[in-house]
Amino acid sequence: MSVSTQTARRPDWAALAIGVALGVLGLLVGLDARGIGGGSYARIGPATFPYVIAAVLLALSVWTVIEAWRGQFPERDHDETGPIVWIVGGLAAQLLLLNTAGFSIATGLLFAATARAFGKRRLYVSVPLGILISFAIWVLFSQVLRLSLPAGPLERLFF
């Protein structure tokens, strides 16, 4: 076996970790399904579907671990950190501002940050547009459907 063949078949450690995580998730679903009662009069009861999900997760886990150990996964693209930071920052801003600034402003900022991550550099356009779209969604959900979304100063100004 040549040296180039050995280096080409290195384990993919990220995929191996995903395979192990799938296995742990499958075991947890299977253990949780044991506590589901009812359906003793029929062959297929409420616990059947969770057991099927657990079995599929465990099968996917074994398959992923084998493929990762063989190094059979395709080369992954390089992640660009700039767009990821914009999206995560927008999500953090939404979480921090949701109760104080309200749904429209917080979600509008998330919209603008996500648009910036996808290449729209004009924040002076995407921030008001995002707030306007989010306000329309807030009106639809809170006024028409009567569902509760956090209201801020903008929402209180109109309703």
Side-chain angles (χ1 to χ4, degrees):
M1 189 185 260
S2 68
V3 175
S4 64
T5 306
Q6 287 177 337
T7 58
R9 294 183 54 125
R10 284 194 343 233
D12 186 344
W13 297 108
L16 194 64
I18 291 171
V20 169
L22 281 171
V24 169
L25 184 62
L27 289 174
L28 287 174
V29 169
L31 288 173
D32 192 47
R34 290 178 45 201
I36 297 176
S40 60
Y41 55 87
R43 288 182 177 227
I44 298 177
T48 303
F49 198 63
Y51 279 128
V52 169
I53 291 173
V56 169
L57 283 171
L58 289 171
L60 285 173
S61 170
V62 170
W63 184 17
T64 303
V65 166
I66 290 170
E67 293 296 315
W69 192 258
R70 291 180 179 169
Q72 300 281 326
F73 280 97
E75 185 78 20
R76 286 182 290 281
D77 292 334
H78 175 69
D79 290 331
E80 294 184 30
T81 56
I84 294 171
V85 168
W86 274 101
I87 293 173
V88 170
L91 283 168
Q94 185 193 30
L95 288 173
L96 292 173
L97 295 173
L98 198 58
N99 289 325
T100 56
F103 179 82
S104 300
I105 294 173
T107 306
L109 292 175
L110 172 62
F111 174 86
T114 305
R116 172 64 177 87
F118 281 100
K120 298 293 183 186
R121 297 190 179 274
R122 299 183 306 180
L123 289 175
Y124 60 89
V125 173
S126 58
V127 169
L129 182 64
I131 291 173
L132 186 65
I133 293 170
S134 300
F135 182 71
I137 292 169
W138 183 86
V139 168
L140 175 70
F141 276 83
S142 68
Q143 302 303 310
V144 177
L145 299 175
R146 298 286 179 202
L147 297 172
S148 178
L149 289 176
L154 180 65
E155 293 87 0
R156 287 189 204 102
L157 180 66
F158 290 100
F159 296 99

